């Protein structure tokens, strides 16, 4: 029985760790069936592009693990879904501002004389494009999207139409697109937000921004979590994702009636409650089903890795359908008594799990924000999973960012790049920048790194509670900020389907 129990725990560890390191790629059973509405990564940070200090950049990535050669039907978003970015600016875990993105896919059927006889019927081509794909007339499908800003409740609040925009076609390859970077940049558009200013918006395919040595993880965690931070291979390097990116003036996001610069945010995707499949679809596009009923949330992402390494398997779909205000009532035991550290200890006995139960340090990291860094001022703060950003924290230029973010302030933890700022509180979990190594940070925090930080009493743990809390846990894959662009939308040009 003892050996059977150990084998079971090891198997559980493998499953948890495998999902953990993929950020929110395929994190819950139901979302694997609808990848178009699967949020993969969520970023929010004070813009570090030159002369943009008064702006916050927010990026929600969807549709994971895109193979660049995935034609002829590439990676359109779901035109029957509603994609949303929610902002809580008073600490009550309820959205105060929501930005909604509603997509439409259009068909431009290209039909040709296949026999060269103009008198015979023209026939539709099977490929996505006929000629230079940067010319709209040469592409068979296109996507546009409406952006709406909602103040108050996401469904019943006051609504402001912010405009209709076009999305670039995915990067088919270098023969279809002679200069894809220039083509894609032409879809970055100003976003008029009224009295608080003008921002930017872009939706389009980008290179996968998350880095992880997935192959070794699935091979019975065949890596050294206490080894070199650059000792792994980024298996996702040839994948793409689709980004919904905004740059918004800080004045549009913070609470106008208070002096608190901290905001919280998360992204969701919702679909219609009912689907009726058409067994005899008409010619066209998206004609195989009719959908109706109320919007039903099926995807949710704020802090990275929560649904992967914190929430139990049986409640992952439940978490995706939930709202932050209900987190304590529905999911508190997963934070107070996390299983991942115990599973890590089973595989690596030299790394004992923390003993401070309930784990108030994880409440600080995941649900309230870190005192003096990004915890809201509201004395009635509602603990909830969302990405929290102190908009008054000065941004750090890409070349100087420490990809360990806030934990770089902990003595002995700062094993970032030599050129990085020694103590960089402008990164995760104070928001999240593209280059922040959230896997390493989350591993270290789960094993008690905050117990060694000398933070105020909210953390309620001391070094003796976390004997492995200063260990330099890593998955070995590193993708620093210098591997991203330093201008909006920051994420790199996607991988082409052919070169």
């Amino acid at each position: 029985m003892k050996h059977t129990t150990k084998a079971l725990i090891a198997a559980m560890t493998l499953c948890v760790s495998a999902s953990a390191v993929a950020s929110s790629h395929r994190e819950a059973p139901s979302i694997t069936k609808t990848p178009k509405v699967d949020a993969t990564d969520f970023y929010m940070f004070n813009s570090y592009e030159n002369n943009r200090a008064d702006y916050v950049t927010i990026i929600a990535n969807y549709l994971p693990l895109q193979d660049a050669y995935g034609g002829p039907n590439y990676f359109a978003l779901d035109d029957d879904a509603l994609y949303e970015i929610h902002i809580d600016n008073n600490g009550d875990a309820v959205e105060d501002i929501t930005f909604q993105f509603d997509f439409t896919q259009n068909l431009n059927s290209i039909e040709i004389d296949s026999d060269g006889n103009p008198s015979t019927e023209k026939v539709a081509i099977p490929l996505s494009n006929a000629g230079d794909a940067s010319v709209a007339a040469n592409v068979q499908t296109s996507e546009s999207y409406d952006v709406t800003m909602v103040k108050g409740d996401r469904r019943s609040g006051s609504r402001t139409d912010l405009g209709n925009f076009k999305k670039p076609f995915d990067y088919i390859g270098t023969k279809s697109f002679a200069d894809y970077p220039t083509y894609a940049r032409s879809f970055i558009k100003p976003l008029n937000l009224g009295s608080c200013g003008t921002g930017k918006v872009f939706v389009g395919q980008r290179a996968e921004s998350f880095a992880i040595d997935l192959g070794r993880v699935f091979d019975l965690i065949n890596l050294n979590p206490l080894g070199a931070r650059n000792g792994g291979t980024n298996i996702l390097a040839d994948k793409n994702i689709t980004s919904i990116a905004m740059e918004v003036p800080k004045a549009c996001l913070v609470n106008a009636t208070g002096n608190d610069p901290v905001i919280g945010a998360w992204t969701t995707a919702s679909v219609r409650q009912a689907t009726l499949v058409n067994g005899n679809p008409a010619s066209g596009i998206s004609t195989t089903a009719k959908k109706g009923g109320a919007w039903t949330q099926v995807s949710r992402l704020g802090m990275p890795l929560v649904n992967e390494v914190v929430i139990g398997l049986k409640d992952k779909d439940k978490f995706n359908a939930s709202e932050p205000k209900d987190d304590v009532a529905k999911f508190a035991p997963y934070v107070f008594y996390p299983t991942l550290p115990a599973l890590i200890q089973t595989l690596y006995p030299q790394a004992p799990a923390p003993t401070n139960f309930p784990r108030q340090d994880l409440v600080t990291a995941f649900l309230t924000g870190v005192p003096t860094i990004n915890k809201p001022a509201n004395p009635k703060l509602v603990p909830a999973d969302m990405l929290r950003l102190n908009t008054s924290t000065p941004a750090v230029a890409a070349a100087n960012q420490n990809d360990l973010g806030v934990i770089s302030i902990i003595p002995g933890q700062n094993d970032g790049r030599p050129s990085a700022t020694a103590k960089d509180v402008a990164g995760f979990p104070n928001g999240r920048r593209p280059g922040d190594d959230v896997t390493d940070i989350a591993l270290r925090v789960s094993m008690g790194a905050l117990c060694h930080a000398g933070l105020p009493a909210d953390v309620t743990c001391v070094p003796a509670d976390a004997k492995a809390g200063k260990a330099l846990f890593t998955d070995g894959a590193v993708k620093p900020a210098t591997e991203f662009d330093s201008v909006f939308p920051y994420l790199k040009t996607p991988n082409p389907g052919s070169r």
Side-chain angles (χ1 to χ4, degrees), residues 83-424:
Y83 300 82
E84 297 176 289
I85 292 171
H86 311 281
I87 307 295
D88 168 26
N89 59 23
N90 60 10
D92 65 356
V94 176
E95 67 271 10
D96 298 294
I97 305 168
T98 295
F99 296 98
Q100 297 179 339
F101 293 77
D102 189 2
F103 290 84
T104 300
Q105 189 174 26
N106 303 295
L107 175 66
N108 170 40
S109 182
I110 298 175
E111 301 172 3
I112 64 174
D113 298 315
S114 59
D115 61 359
N117 184 349
S119 65
T120 58
E121 183 178 359
K122 293 184 177 182
V123 180
I125 67 170
L127 304 182
S128 293
N129 61 302
D132 181 358
S134 66
V135 177
N138 293 337
V139 182
Q140 293 220 74
T141 61
S142 63
E143 290 177 89
S144 61
Y145 58 97
D146 294 306
V147 182
T148 303
M149 180 171 63
V150 183
K151 297 286 187 72
D153 182 88
R154 66 182 79 173
R155 298 291 173 260
S156 61
S158 62
R159 304 170 61 85
T160 301
D161 179 10
L162 300 183
N164 178 266
F165 305 89
K166 295 185 182 300
K167 173 179 173 289
F169 202 81
D170 292 348
Y171 197 176
I172 300 168
T174 56
K175 187 174 183 179
S176 294
F177 287 103
D179 185 0
Y180 191 85
T182 298
Y183 162 77
R185 280 196 299 271
S186 71
F187 290 83
I188 300 174
K189 298 298 182 182
L191 188 66
N192 186 351
L193 291 153
S195 60
C196 60
T198 300
K200 298 178 185 178
V201 66
F202 171 83
V203 176
Q205 191 179 51
R206 297 282 89 188
E208 171 62 72
S209 52
F210 194 66
I212 188 66
D213 195 350
L214 269 181
R216 291 179 182 272
V217 170
F218 283 115
D219 183 23
L220 299 177
I221 317 181
N222 185 17
L223 49 78
N224 181 5
L226 295 173
R229 290 192 65 216
N230 60 354
T233 301
N234 179 20
I235 298 300
L236 302 181
D238 63 347
K239 304 296 184 183
N240 294 327
I241 42 77
T242 300
S243 294
I244 298 173
M246 308 174 66
E247 189 180 56
V248 182
K250 294 177 181 179
C252 296
L253 300 175
V254 297
N255 192 326
T257 61
N259 297 316
D260 190 355
V262 176
I263 58 174
W266 68 102
T267 184
T268 63
S270 299
V271 298
R272 293 297 185 181
Q273 202 166 38
T275 299
L276 180 64
V277 178
N278 185 353
N280 185 26
S283 297
I285 194 166
S286 299
T287 62
T288 59
K290 294 291 184 182
K291 299 183 180 182
W295 288 117
T296 303
Q297 182 180 304
V298 295
S299 180
R300 169 189 168 190
L301 179 60
M303 292 283 284
L305 305 172
V306 169
N307 206 6
E308 292 75 16
V309 304
V310 178
I311 305 300
L313 179 63
K314 69 176 184 177
D315 285 328
K316 290 183 182 296
D317 290 330
K318 183 178 181 179
F319 180 85
N320 268 345
S322 66
E323 297 183 32
K325 64 182 178 61
D326 299 321
D327 283 349
V328 171
K330 292 182 177 181
F331 307 111
Y334 291 119
V335 178
F336 286 138
Y337 305 99
T339 56
L340 179 63
L343 297 174
I344 290 175
Q345 176 180 289
T346 300
L347 278 182
Y348 302 97
Q350 70 271 34
T355 57
N356 54 304
F357 297 108
R359 289 289 301 276
Q360 187 63 38
D361 57 323
L362 295 189
V363 173
T364 297
F366 290 116
L367 302 183
T368 66
V370 181
T372 74
I373 294 176
N374 69 331
K375 182 178 180 179
N378 185 353
K380 297 182 179 180
L381 170 68
V382 176
D385 167 44
M386 62 181 73
L387 198 59
R388 288 187 171 86
L389 173 69
N390 188 331
T391 61
S392 69
T393 303
V396 175
N400 297 324
Q401 290 177 14
N402 189 321
D403 59 6
L404 291 175
V406 171
I407 69 168
S408 65
I409 69 176
I410 302 174
Q413 283 291 322
N414 188 13
D415 58 343
R417 292 166 288 118
S419 62
T421 300
K423 295 182 178 181
D424 182 2

